[in-house]
Amino acid sequence: MVRLTDVVKIYTMGEERVEAMMGVSFTVHRGEFVSIMGASGSGKSTCMNILGCLDVPTRGSYFLDGVDVGGLSADALAEVRNKKLGFVFQGFNLLARTTARQNVELPLVYAQVPAAERRSRALEALERVGLAGREGHYSNQLSGGQQQRVAIARALVNRPSIILADEPTGNLDSRTTIEIMSIFQELNRQGITIIMVTHEPDVAEFTSRHIIFKDGQVISDQPYQAKSAVLPAEAQQR
């Protein structure tokens, strides 16, 4: 699904030169659940931006689903983001005066999907994350965990090849973190490839591979026996 080969990313700000990634190479296969870890400034966020086609390498190559995205135009990159990738962020990024269903429909609006199909696919995605019956609720009527579930449903609605999650539990308490990781694990069991950036080792324990960055380089890339995220029974009813 993903192949980075000798990826270098250099930012130049005036006379200052920042080497954010220095020859990074790794492959992510279809169906993996991978965590990318590292301290602030280690290069993990830059790597996620490249994986998400929000930035391009200075040197090296990035193949996504067999396509070299480094040579694509801005419009082609936007199409890749819309059709192949689903994004989940720490801050949920929901529209406040919009219902859960309308938030989930948003990527389909950009893709010019007809209204009836948008509605049915949004409801299907909300059901997959345990929010059937909550589609008419506004963001301020939902808990933090429910808002993140809406965000995951929005990431799913375009049926992406990969979900990219950037600190998806950073704003959540420990119980809700387990709830969200349980959803990710279930989606992964259904065949969805997930790449997650996190600085929390206890969150990374729910993934099956750990890639660790330091000073712009991968210093460790190891398989891991993922811990099962047991969803509390009462949380399933929320």
Side-chain angles (χ1 to χ4, degrees):
M1 288 296 296
V2 164
R3 177 161 56 88
L4 274 68
T5 304
D6 297 325
V7 168
V8 173
K9 183 62 186 180
I10 300 171
Y11 296 102
T12 303
M13 294 169 282
E15 296 183 357
E16 186 177 0
R17 175 185 168 99
V18 177
E19 297 181 339
M21 292 176 66
M22 300 168 59
V24 170
S25 299
F26 63 81
T27 299
V28 176
H29 298 285
R30 191 179 303 275
E32 284 198 275
F33 189 178
V34 179
S35 58
I36 296 178
M37 306 172 67
S40 178
S42 63
K44 65 183 188 299
S45 294
T46 299
C47 182
M48 183 63 92
N49 286 339
I50 289 175
L51 293 175
C53 298
L54 301 170
D55 206 345
V56 294
T58 304
R59 294 195 302 274
S61 61
Y62 168 33
F63 283 81
L64 173 62
D65 212 7
V67 176
D68 184 354
V69 299
L72 297 180
S73 67
D75 286 346
L77 286 172
E79 186 173 0
V80 168
R81 287 194 297 271
N82 188 258
K83 291 185 176 179
K84 289 186 176 290
L85 302 172
F87 296 89
V88 180
F89 301 100
Q90 177 176 341
F92 316 145
N93 293 357
L94 302 181
L95 299 179
R97 294 182 175 87
T98 306
T99 66
R101 177 180 59 79
Q102 290 168 328
N103 268 287
V104 174
E105 284 184 7
L106 197 58
L108 300 177
V109 173
Y110 294 140
Q112 300 182 324
V113 173
E117 184 179 351
R118 289 202 307 265
R119 180 184 178 89
S120 65
R121 284 170 61 173
L123 293 176
E124 175 191 342
L126 286 165
E127 184 174 2
R128 288 181 74 180
V129 298
L131 285 181
R134 302 292 179 96
E135 62 271 6
H137 286 60
Y138 291 88
S139 297
N140 62 3
Q141 298 174 310
L142 299 171
S143 67
Q146 289 171 336
Q147 290 183 59
Q148 191 61 296
R149 287 202 240 174
V150 173
I152 295 170
R154 182 181 57 196
L156 287 171
V157 76
N158 259 347
R159 298 163 183 164
S161 303
I162 300 174
I163 288 180
L164 300 175
D166 191 357
E167 301 283 3
T169 62
N171 287 340
L172 304 176
D173 60 37
S174 56
R175 171 186 280 185
T176 310
T177 291
I178 295 174
E179 176 184 340
I180 294 302
M181 295 310 297
S182 174
I183 291 171
F184 279 132
Q185 286 187 340
E186 178 57 30
L187 294 174
N188 182 242
R189 283 192 289 270
Q190 294 171 10
I192 295 177
T193 305
I194 302 174
I195 303 175
M196 178 182 70
V197 162
T198 182
H199 68 276
E200 301 176 88
D202 56 336
V203 173
E205 287 184 348
F206 297 112
T207 71
S208 56
R209 179 177 165 199
H210 296 176
I211 299 175
I212 302 176
F213 275 70
K214 182 178 181 181
D215 298 332
Q217 297 179 304
V218 173
I219 62 167
S220 178
D221 183 352
Q222 298 291 333
Y224 189 83
Q225 183 62 49
K227 183 168 68 174
S228 177
V230 179
L231 186 63
E234 64 270 24
Q236 298 182 45
Q237 306 302 319
R238 293 205 304 269

